[in-house]
Amino acid sequence: MHRLVEQLTRICGADGTIVTRHARDTYGSDGLLQYHVTPGVVVLPDTAEQVRAVVGACHQAGVPWVARGSGTGLSGGAVPVEDGVLIGLNRMRRVLQVDLDNERVVVEPGVTNVDVSAAVAPTHVYPPDPSSQIVCSIGGNVAENSGGAHCFKYGFTTNYVTGLEVVLPDGEVVTLGGAELDRPGYDLVGAFVGSEGTLGIATKITLRVIPKPEDHRTLVAYFDDTTEAGQTVSDIVAASIVPGAIEMMDQLTIQAAEAATHAGYPLDVGAALIVELDGPVAECDARFDEVVDICQRNGATGIRVAADERERELIWKTRKAAFGAMGRISPNYYVQDGVIPRTRLPDVLGRISDLAREHGLKVANVFHAGDGNLHPLVCYDGRAPGEAETAERLAGLILQACVDAGGSLTGEHGIGLDKREHMNKMFSEADLDAFQRLRCAFDPQGLANPGKVMPTPRLCGEVPGPYRQHPLEAAGVAERF
Amino acid sequence: MLPNGSKGGLALRTEHPNTAEQAAEVLAAADSEGLSVRPRGAGTKLGWGGPGPEAAIELTTAGLTRIVEHNAPDLTAVVEAGVPLADAQSAFRRGGLMVALDPPLGRDEAATVGGVVATGDSGPLRHRYGAPRDLLLGMTVALADGTVAHAGGKVIKNVAGYDLTKLLAGSFGTLGLVVRVALRLHPLSAKRVTASGSSADPVALQRSCYALAHAPLELESLDISWEAGTGQVLARCTGAAPQPRAEQATRLMQEAGLRSEIVEDDEQLWSRQRERQRSENGTVVRVSGRASEVARVIETASSLGGSVVGRAAMGLLWVALPPADPAVTVATIEQLRRELHPLPCVILDAPREAREGVDVWGKVEPGAAALMRRVKERFDPRGILNPGLFVDGI
Ligand SMILES: Cc1cc2nc3c(=O)[nH]c(=O)nc-3n(C[C@H](O)[C@H](O)[C@H](O)COP(=O)(O)OP(=O)(O)OC[C@H]3O[C@@H](n4cnc5c(N)ncnc54)[C@H](O)[C@@H]3O)c2cc1C
């Protein structure tokens, strides 16, 4: 390690190499504070060439590394490896090219999500908009295939990445895709997006942007319960209306968020549904009254239509504050990210509230309702003995309920460290084996973000074949979940 | 007539499994015997790809024709690979929905979902909704060694595990047999109307496409075509109130110097666009360009006697060259590539003799090609699936 650190210091400079324990510690967690591991050394490269040299040096030394964007991830994806290298990409913040004629931008990975939209404003936008967009990096978005409130209509990160420059775990640099579509060969851009930092480091990212929607119309409707609100969502979709965003909050979330924002949401309602139509003026006009109608038919107790941009922002502020505001009602909380077929919303929410009661904990619910992407926030007090474990168990049961309903473990936060033990709920051994083949093609030595995504450590055989036990597992040191 | 790709010799043996497991058994047996396998749907695009050796086994999806789930309210469906795309669309249409894929369907509209996915083919709806890769939610695939694996899921949002659906989409059967896919569906639009503009000036056509692509019109499709010295731009508006936007589109076309009109009954216009992506006896080259290169591609194609059709805002253009002596076709393709360099030009339809004379895929960046090869080796180590058909001899 000592020699490697010297080498890394030569590459990134003393100013870009962090060795003191205290400073390394600050990189120990991402947005999911439950996990903390102090990395052996932190480097902050400034250029793609430095990233290449760092990864190359790690490859030669056989030392694992973890890439980190802004550290807002919610699955422990950027949690370091002990004695490994943490590669922070936040200094690489250059917008390299803006080509509006062709609706493309090329950026370095440390550019924040909002800065991409800012670079193409005012005529264009970059649609995937995670709530963390002010801080999270595009590199992190690519690694997690991040979503946001506008994904039901506009799609996810993966639908907007057309090209990548990637430093592979052996230090080679490859260009995948480009500005053009349908380049010959395997869609390795598609395979890389959402790979959670396990296939290499994206050092240059080409993104598609779109013309800014002409208009938007926003309302929030209040209901007695989430079932009515859920039925409203289904009725809107059944009417062939595709809202730009459609977001739901339950009572507990409203209470917490309202306390933080004072946006004027009533505290006694069972659910609030934000519906935003966007697009051509004529189209928004034609459908907005229908949306209001559908809300009323489903028993909305009140509807607030944003009269102007200020009121629209107020409505959204409460939704965006939801996670952060949980601190007001609970010392700690555990975010989950399960997905269900939207029509199963009433049964699954019923199941979640039963589970919460059985475990004696509160669960607040906020979700991307169009996509059926739930964010159950399991509230607990980490100081109370055993409560953190109970919360974790409850969170696992909620995920099981999502998978049982035909859904998924995660809609946008990724598997990371946090949900890897649940992978077997959704994927068979054969499925995991197929995943591993892709990983081995990129990283045969297993140096890129090891221990993430897969439920157990796996090695890459020389000749690929069915799953083989990891030596640690065979020796009984590590266990399969 | 035999498909373009066939030498006339028949594959040794045809297998048509009814389940993923049966398909896997065929593959496992072939793998252990080292026999090559050619996956096949309806055979409408069998001529695409490099002219590899004849396969020992043809593995068809003719026995995989069930629409397994159609969850209209959830906007999802699960279908087996052998379902003709046209049949799937009819089923979805009954629920007011579509899978937003409209590639040319080939003879008898027979193209299967699996074939469209495996070739990554797309049509005018690409403008708004993307390619097969963008509409796949999950996949079941039988791998060369007999593993049946699933990736993704069947909900419209999901990031659990690696996105192998994208890897398999467009992989031309070289990584496994796509057995079943979960698809995202979209509502069919209540109303559709097309603004159509024409001009004999490629630069004016390109200019109008810029204007249309950058205006907030939410077009469903934005296509261009060029044939015999004159070109057309088509902008389709859909939704509850498309008329005012179509009128705005015609105005933008006029400002760019086009003659324009509104076409209410526009189905024909669009099916013609799709059909022109194929050629029975001639050659079709798919150019991965950019919006800013549309005029240049048209001028180049035109100077070589070709016609053009494609997605204007994405710069994705299909250049059709007339039937000719294979040596002439090869020379023309090479010239097209030279003049359009560095834009990738992939040969789709072409007589076998012509395909033998060129690399149908064109050069892939060496680093990326090496990585693709490593992927191939992990999924199909003995190289039994469509050997030689894909890029860089994969
Ligand atoms: C309050 C809050 C709200 C959020 N809301 C949303 C939301 O609405 N939607 C959503 O999808 N997510 C949301 N997130 C999660 C998070 O913001 C996203 O996952 C984001 O994409 C992470 O970006 P980051 O730069 O912070 O990445 P990090 O957390 O630093 O890293 C995430 C992963 O990406 C890898 N990585 C980072 N950079 C690179 C690179 N250049 N190349 C390869 N791998 C790399 C890391 O190794 C790690 O595995 C939210 C998080 C918070 C804290």
Side-chain angles (χ1 to χ4, degrees), chain B residues 306-335:
Chain B
S307 64
V308 180
V309 70
R311 317 288 95 81
M314 331 192 97
L316 209 49
L317 301 168
W318 284 252
V319 173
L321 303 170
D325 184 70
V328 174
T329 299
V330 168
T332 312
I333 291 169
E334 279 167 355
Q335 194 176 346

PDB file of all heavy atoms in Angstrom, chain B residues 306-335:
ATOM      1  N   GLY B 306     -28.473   6.805 -54.840  1.00  0.00           N
ATOM      2  CA  GLY B 306     -29.271   6.211 -53.765  1.00  0.00           C
ATOM      3  C   GLY B 306     -30.414   7.093 -53.315  1.00  0.00           C
ATOM      4  O   GLY B 306     -30.484   8.275 -53.664  1.00  0.00           O
ATOM      5  N   SER B 307     -31.316   6.517 -52.562  1.00  0.00           N
ATOM      6  CA  SER B 307     -32.388   7.273 -51.926  1.00  0.00           C
ATOM      7  C   SER B 307     -32.212   7.154 -50.414  1.00  0.00           C
ATOM      8  O   SER B 307     -31.451   6.323 -49.938  1.00  0.00           O
ATOM      9  CB  SER B 307     -33.745   6.736 -52.353  1.00  0.00           C
ATOM     10  OG  SER B 307     -33.903   5.410 -51.900  1.00  0.00           O
ATOM     11  N   VAL B 308     -32.912   8.026 -49.681  1.00  0.00           N
ATOM     12  CA  VAL B 308     -32.702   8.099 -48.231  1.00  0.00           C
ATOM     13  C   VAL B 308     -34.037   8.159 -47.510  1.00  0.00           C
ATOM     14  O   VAL B 308     -34.986   8.777 -47.992  1.00  0.00           O
ATOM     15  CB  VAL B 308     -31.889   9.374 -47.868  1.00  0.00           C
ATOM     16  CG1 VAL B 308     -31.668   9.477 -46.360  1.00  0.00           C
ATOM     17  CG2 VAL B 308     -30.552   9.403 -48.601  1.00  0.00           C
ATOM     18  N   VAL B 309     -34.089   7.517 -46.358  1.00  0.00           N
ATOM     19  CA  VAL B 309     -35.251   7.653 -45.503  1.00  0.00           C
ATOM     20  C   VAL B 309     -34.751   7.567 -44.070  1.00  0.00           C
ATOM     21  O   VAL B 309     -33.734   6.916 -43.812  1.00  0.00           O
ATOM     22  CB  VAL B 309     -36.288   6.550 -45.827  1.00  0.00           C
ATOM     23  CG1 VAL B 309     -35.804   5.183 -45.382  1.00  0.00           C
ATOM     24  CG2 VAL B 309     -37.633   6.849 -45.223  1.00  0.00           C
ATOM     25  N   GLY B 310     -35.413   8.244 -43.138  1.00  0.00           N
ATOM     26  CA  GLY B 310     -34.945   8.087 -41.762  1.00  0.00           C
ATOM     27  C   GLY B 310     -35.448   9.135 -40.802  1.00  0.00           C
ATOM     28  O   GLY B 310     -36.346   9.917 -41.115  1.00  0.00           O
ATOM     29  N   ARG B 311     -34.830   9.115 -39.635  1.00  0.00           N
ATOM     30  CA  ARG B 311     -35.241   9.934 -38.502  1.00  0.00           C
ATOM     31  C   ARG B 311     -34.396  11.201 -38.497  1.00  0.00           C
ATOM     32  O   ARG B 311     -33.216  11.164 -38.092  1.00  0.00           O
ATOM     33  CB  ARG B 311     -35.030   9.183 -37.171  1.00  0.00           C
ATOM     34  CG  ARG B 311     -35.435   7.707 -37.121  1.00  0.00           C
ATOM     35  CD  ARG B 311     -36.919   7.495 -37.112  1.00  0.00           C
ATOM     36  NE  ARG B 311     -37.463   7.261 -38.436  1.00  0.00           N
ATOM     37  CZ  ARG B 311     -37.441   6.089 -39.088  1.00  0.00           C
ATOM     38  NH1 ARG B 311     -36.899   5.028 -38.565  1.00  0.00           N
ATOM     39  NH2 ARG B 311     -37.990   5.975 -40.283  1.00  0.00           N
ATOM     40  N   ALA B 312     -35.002  12.302 -38.868  1.00  0.00           N
ATOM     41  CA  ALA B 312     -34.229  13.514 -39.121  1.00  0.00           C
ATOM     42  C   ALA B 312     -33.513  14.049 -37.883  1.00  0.00           C
ATOM     43  O   ALA B 312     -32.334  14.394 -37.932  1.00  0.00           O
ATOM     44  CB  ALA B 312     -35.143  14.586 -39.686  1.00  0.00           C
ATOM     45  N   ALA B 313     -34.221  14.114 -36.756  1.00  0.00           N
ATOM     46  CA  ALA B 313     -33.614  14.746 -35.582  1.00  0.00           C
ATOM     47  C   ALA B 313     -32.518  13.885 -34.971  1.00  0.00           C
ATOM     48  O   ALA B 313     -31.649  14.378 -34.260  1.00  0.00           O
ATOM     49  CB  ALA B 313     -34.685  15.047 -34.541  1.00  0.00           C
ATOM     50  N   MET B 314     -32.562  12.582 -35.237  1.00  0.00           N
ATOM     51  CA  MET B 314     -31.560  11.691 -34.651  1.00  0.00           C
ATOM     52  C   MET B 314     -30.441  11.418 -35.643  1.00  0.00           C
ATOM     53  O   MET B 314     -29.459  10.780 -35.299  1.00  0.00           O
ATOM     54  CB  MET B 314     -32.198  10.361 -34.259  1.00  0.00           C
ATOM     55  CG  MET B 314     -33.653  10.491 -33.912  1.00  0.00           C
ATOM     56  SD  MET B 314     -34.289   9.002 -33.141  1.00  0.00           S
ATOM     57  CE  MET B 314     -34.130   9.517 -31.466  1.00  0.00           C
ATOM     58  N   GLY B 315     -30.613  11.865 -36.872  1.00  0.00           N
ATOM     59  CA  GLY B 315     -29.592  11.623 -37.883  1.00  0.00           C
ATOM     60  C   GLY B 315     -29.444  10.163 -38.244  1.00  0.00           C
ATOM     61  O   GLY B 315     -28.411   9.737 -38.756  1.00  0.00           O
ATOM     62  N   LEU B 316     -30.482   9.398 -38.007  1.00  0.00           N
ATOM     63  CA  LEU B 316     -30.430   7.961 -38.283  1.00  0.00           C
ATOM     64  C   LEU B 316     -31.078   7.723 -39.645  1.00  0.00           C
ATOM     65  O   LEU B 316     -32.281   7.888 -39.790  1.00  0.00           O
ATOM     66  CB  LEU B 316     -31.213   7.241 -37.184  1.00  0.00           C
ATOM     67  CG  LEU B 316     -30.841   5.837 -36.779  1.00  0.00           C
ATOM     68  CD1 LEU B 316     -29.361   5.690 -36.518  1.00  0.00           C
ATOM     69  CD2 LEU B 316     -31.635   5.463 -35.538  1.00  0.00           C
ATOM     70  N   LEU B 317     -30.234   7.397 -40.623  1.00  0.00           N
ATOM     71  CA  LEU B 317     -30.719   7.394 -42.006  1.00  0.00           C
ATOM     72  C   LEU B 317     -30.439   6.069 -42.703  1.00  0.00           C
ATOM     73  O   LEU B 317     -29.366   5.492 -42.557  1.00  0.00           O
ATOM     74  CB  LEU B 317     -30.037   8.534 -42.775  1.00  0.00           C
ATOM     75  CG  LEU B 317     -30.283   9.928 -42.196  1.00  0.00           C
ATOM     76  CD1 LEU B 317     -29.337  10.940 -42.827  1.00  0.00           C
ATOM     77  CD2 LEU B 317     -31.730  10.362 -42.382  1.00  0.00           C
ATOM     78  N   TRP B 318     -31.424   5.600 -43.468  1.00  0.00           N
ATOM     79  CA  TRP B 318     -31.279   4.389 -44.249  1.00  0.00           C
ATOM     80  C   TRP B 318     -31.079   4.798 -45.715  1.00  0.00           C
ATOM     81  O   TRP B 318     -31.970   5.421 -46.304  1.00  0.00           O
ATOM     82  CB  TRP B 318     -32.523   3.531 -44.125  1.00  0.00           C
ATOM     83  CG  TRP B 318     -32.661   2.779 -42.820  1.00  0.00           C
ATOM     84  CD1 TRP B 318     -32.503   1.435 -42.663  1.00  0.00           C
ATOM     85  CD2 TRP B 318     -33.020   3.285 -41.525  1.00  0.00           C
ATOM     86  NE1 TRP B 318     -32.726   1.077 -41.339  1.00  0.00           N
ATOM     87  CE2 TRP B 318     -33.032   2.181 -40.623  1.00  0.00           C
ATOM     88  CE3 TRP B 318     -33.299   4.560 -41.012  1.00  0.00           C
ATOM     89  CZ2 TRP B 318     -33.334   2.328 -39.263  1.00  0.00           C
ATOM     90  CZ3 TRP B 318     -33.602   4.695 -39.660  1.00  0.00           C
ATOM     91  CH2 TRP B 318     -33.613   3.589 -38.809  1.00  0.00           C
ATOM     92  N   VAL B 319     -29.922   4.465 -46.239  1.00  0.00           N
ATOM     93  CA  VAL B 319     -29.627   4.800 -47.627  1.00  0.00           C
ATOM     94  C   VAL B 319     -29.870   3.556 -48.482  1.00  0.00           C
ATOM     95  O   VAL B 319     -29.282   2.499 -48.217  1.00  0.00           O
ATOM     96  CB  VAL B 319     -28.156   5.248 -47.779  1.00  0.00           C
ATOM     97  CG1 VAL B 319     -27.796   5.427 -49.252  1.00  0.00           C
ATOM     98  CG2 VAL B 319     -27.906   6.537 -47.004  1.00  0.00           C
ATOM     99  N   ALA B 320     -30.742   3.654 -49.458  1.00  0.00           N
ATOM    100  CA  ALA B 320     -31.014   2.511 -50.337  1.00  0.00           C
ATOM    101  C   ALA B 320     -30.277   2.709 -51.657  1.00  0.00           C
ATOM    102  O   ALA B 320     -30.373   3.768 -52.285  1.00  0.00           O
ATOM    103  CB  ALA B 320     -32.510   2.381 -50.585  1.00  0.00           C
ATOM    104  N   LEU B 321     -29.533   1.691 -52.041  1.00  0.00           N
ATOM    105  CA  LEU B 321     -28.834   1.726 -53.325  1.00  0.00           C
ATOM    106  C   LEU B 321     -29.538   0.756 -54.264  1.00  0.00           C
ATOM    107  O   LEU B 321     -29.954  -0.321 -53.844  1.00  0.00           O
ATOM    108  CB  LEU B 321     -27.370   1.307 -53.142  1.00  0.00           C
ATOM    109  CG  LEU B 321     -26.562   2.140 -52.144  1.00  0.00           C
ATOM    110  CD1 LEU B 321     -25.207   1.484 -51.865  1.00  0.00           C
ATOM    111  CD2 LEU B 321     -26.367   3.559 -52.671  1.00  0.00           C
ATOM    112  N   PRO B 322     -29.671   1.150 -55.528  1.00  0.00           N
ATOM    113  CA  PRO B 322     -30.413   0.289 -56.451  1.00  0.00           C
ATOM    114  C   PRO B 322     -29.667  -1.019 -56.718  1.00  0.00           C
ATOM    115  O   PRO B 322     -28.455  -1.090 -56.537  1.00  0.00           O
ATOM    116  CB  PRO B 322     -30.496   1.129 -57.724  1.00  0.00           C
ATOM    117  CG  PRO B 322     -29.404   2.133 -57.617  1.00  0.00           C
ATOM    118  CD  PRO B 322     -29.164   2.368 -56.159  1.00  0.00           C
ATOM    119  N   PRO B 323     -30.404  -2.061 -57.153  1.00  0.00           N
ATOM    120  CA  PRO B 323     -29.755  -3.326 -57.488  1.00  0.00           C
ATOM    121  C   PRO B 323     -28.669  -3.084 -58.532  1.00  0.00           C
ATOM    122  O   PRO B 323     -28.839  -2.262 -59.432  1.00  0.00           O
ATOM    123  CB  PRO B 323     -30.882  -4.170 -58.089  1.00  0.00           C
ATOM    124  CG  PRO B 323     -32.148  -3.538 -57.626  1.00  0.00           C
ATOM    125  CD  PRO B 323     -31.857  -2.093 -57.411  1.00  0.00           C
ATOM    126  N   ALA B 324     -27.559  -3.761 -58.365  1.00  0.00           N
ATOM    127  CA  ALA B 324     -26.452  -3.597 -59.318  1.00  0.00           C
ATOM    128  C   ALA B 324     -25.573  -4.833 -59.252  1.00  0.00           C
ATOM    129  O   ALA B 324     -25.734  -5.687 -58.378  1.00  0.00           O
ATOM    130  CB  ALA B 324     -25.637  -2.346 -58.972  1.00  0.00           C
ATOM    131  N   ASP B 325     -24.646  -4.885 -60.143  1.00  0.00           N
ATOM    132  CA  ASP B 325     -23.637  -5.920 -60.125  1.00  0.00           C
ATOM    133  C   ASP B 325     -22.933  -5.887 -58.754  1.00  0.00           C
ATOM    134  O   ASP B 325     -22.627  -4.804 -58.249  1.00  0.00           O
ATOM    135  CB  ASP B 325     -22.644  -5.592 -61.251  1.00  0.00           C
ATOM    136  CG  ASP B 325     -21.604  -6.664 -61.398  1.00  0.00           C
ATOM    137  OD1 ASP B 325     -21.991  -7.765 -61.852  1.00  0.00           O
ATOM    138  OD2 ASP B 325     -20.437  -6.395 -61.038  1.00  0.00           O
ATOM    139  N   PRO B 326     -22.691  -7.061 -58.127  1.00  0.00           N
ATOM    140  CA  PRO B 326     -22.102  -7.054 -56.779  1.00  0.00           C
ATOM    141  C   PRO B 326     -20.836  -6.206 -56.680  1.00  0.00           C
ATOM    142  O   PRO B 326     -20.652  -5.479 -55.695  1.00  0.00           O
ATOM    143  CB  PRO B 326     -21.786  -8.521 -56.513  1.00  0.00           C
ATOM    144  CG  PRO B 326     -22.711  -9.287 -57.390  1.00  0.00           C
ATOM    145  CD  PRO B 326     -23.001  -8.426 -58.579  1.00  0.00           C
ATOM    146  N   ALA B 327     -19.984  -6.262 -57.671  1.00  0.00           N
ATOM    147  CA  ALA B 327     -18.729  -5.494 -57.611  1.00  0.00           C
ATOM    148  C   ALA B 327     -19.036  -4.000 -57.576  1.00  0.00           C
ATOM    149  O   ALA B 327     -18.383  -3.229 -56.849  1.00  0.00           O
ATOM    150  CB  ALA B 327     -17.852  -5.834 -58.809  1.00  0.00           C
ATOM    151  N   VAL B 328     -20.032  -3.596 -58.315  1.00  0.00           N
ATOM    152  CA  VAL B 328     -20.422  -2.183 -58.333  1.00  0.00           C
ATOM    153  C   VAL B 328     -20.995  -1.798 -56.964  1.00  0.00           C
ATOM    154  O   VAL B 328     -20.659  -0.748 -56.405  1.00  0.00           O
ATOM    155  CB  VAL B 328     -21.464  -1.925 -59.449  1.00  0.00           C
ATOM    156  CG1 VAL B 328     -21.982  -0.496 -59.373  1.00  0.00           C
ATOM    157  CG2 VAL B 328     -20.864  -2.224 -60.816  1.00  0.00           C
ATOM    158  N   THR B 329     -21.845  -2.674 -56.425  1.00  0.00           N
ATOM    159  CA  THR B 329     -22.423  -2.402 -55.110  1.00  0.00           C
ATOM    160  C   THR B 329     -21.326  -2.238 -54.067  1.00  0.00           C
ATOM    161  O   THR B 329     -21.346  -1.299 -53.263  1.00  0.00           O
ATOM    162  CB  THR B 329     -23.393  -3.534 -54.711  1.00  0.00           C
ATOM    163  OG1 THR B 329     -24.444  -3.583 -55.671  1.00  0.00           O
ATOM    164  CG2 THR B 329     -23.971  -3.305 -53.336  1.00  0.00           C
ATOM    165  N   VAL B 330     -20.365  -3.140 -54.093  1.00  0.00           N
ATOM    166  CA  VAL B 330     -19.270  -3.059 -53.116  1.00  0.00           C
ATOM    167  C   VAL B 330     -18.525  -1.732 -53.267  1.00  0.00           C
ATOM    168  O   VAL B 330     -18.264  -1.031 -52.277  1.00  0.00           O
ATOM    169  CB  VAL B 330     -18.294  -4.256 -53.296  1.00  0.00           C
ATOM    170  CG1 VAL B 330     -17.010  -4.027 -52.500  1.00  0.00           C
ATOM    171  CG2 VAL B 330     -18.970  -5.553 -52.870  1.00  0.00           C
ATOM    172  N   ALA B 331     -18.236  -1.360 -54.503  1.00  0.00           N
ATOM    173  CA  ALA B 331     -17.505  -0.109 -54.737  1.00  0.00           C
ATOM    174  C   ALA B 331     -18.326   1.081 -54.249  1.00  0.00           C
ATOM    175  O   ALA B 331     -17.793   2.025 -53.642  1.00  0.00           O
ATOM    176  CB  ALA B 331     -17.178   0.036 -56.218  1.00  0.00           C
ATOM    177  N   THR B 332     -19.638   1.026 -54.484  1.00  0.00           N
ATOM    178  CA  THR B 332     -20.499   2.133 -54.073  1.00  0.00           C
ATOM    179  C   THR B 332     -20.538   2.250 -52.550  1.00  0.00           C
ATOM    180  O   THR B 332     -20.466   3.346 -51.991  1.00  0.00           O
ATOM    181  CB  THR B 332     -21.937   1.941 -54.623  1.00  0.00           C
ATOM    182  OG1 THR B 332     -21.850   1.622 -56.008  1.00  0.00           O
ATOM    183  CG2 THR B 332     -22.768   3.182 -54.428  1.00  0.00           C
ATOM    184  N   ILE B 333     -20.658   1.093 -51.900  1.00  0.00           N
ATOM    185  CA  ILE B 333     -20.679   1.105 -50.425  1.00  0.00           C
ATOM    186  C   ILE B 333     -19.382   1.703 -49.896  1.00  0.00           C
ATOM    187  O   ILE B 333     -19.383   2.530 -48.981  1.00  0.00           O
ATOM    188  CB  ILE B 333     -20.866  -0.327 -49.872  1.00  0.00           C
ATOM    189  CG1 ILE B 333     -22.277  -0.839 -50.178  1.00  0.00           C
ATOM    190  CG2 ILE B 333     -20.598  -0.378 -48.375  1.00  0.00           C
ATOM    191  CD1 ILE B 333     -22.481  -2.324 -49.909  1.00  0.00           C
ATOM    192  N   GLU B 334     -18.278   1.278 -50.501  1.00  0.00           N
ATOM    193  CA  GLU B 334     -16.988   1.780 -50.011  1.00  0.00           C
ATOM    194  C   GLU B 334     -16.866   3.279 -50.204  1.00  0.00           C
ATOM    195  O   GLU B 334     -16.354   3.993 -49.337  1.00  0.00           O
ATOM    196  CB  GLU B 334     -15.834   1.022 -50.677  1.00  0.00           C
ATOM    197  CG  GLU B 334     -15.623  -0.307 -49.969  1.00  0.00           C
ATOM    198  CD  GLU B 334     -14.722  -1.270 -50.713  1.00  0.00           C
ATOM    199  OE1 GLU B 334     -14.311  -0.958 -51.846  1.00  0.00           O
ATOM    200  OE2 GLU B 334     -14.458  -2.357 -50.143  1.00  0.00           O
ATOM    201  N   GLN B 335     -17.375   3.747 -51.321  1.00  0.00           N
ATOM    202  CA  GLN B 335     -17.315   5.189 -51.558  1.00  0.00           C
ATOM    203  C   GLN B 335     -18.204   5.951 -50.569  1.00  0.00           C
ATOM    204  O   GLN B 335     -17.809   6.989 -50.037  1.00  0.00           O
ATOM    205  CB  GLN B 335     -17.717   5.496 -52.995  1.00  0.00           C
ATOM    206  CG  GLN B 335     -17.336   6.927 -53.367  1.00  0.00           C
ATOM    207  CD  GLN B 335     -17.638   7.234 -54.817  1.00  0.00           C
ATOM    208  OE1 GLN B 335     -17.884   6.321 -55.610  1.00  0.00           O
ATOM    209  NE2 GLN B 335     -17.628   8.506 -55.161  1.00  0.00           N
TER     210      GLN B 335
END
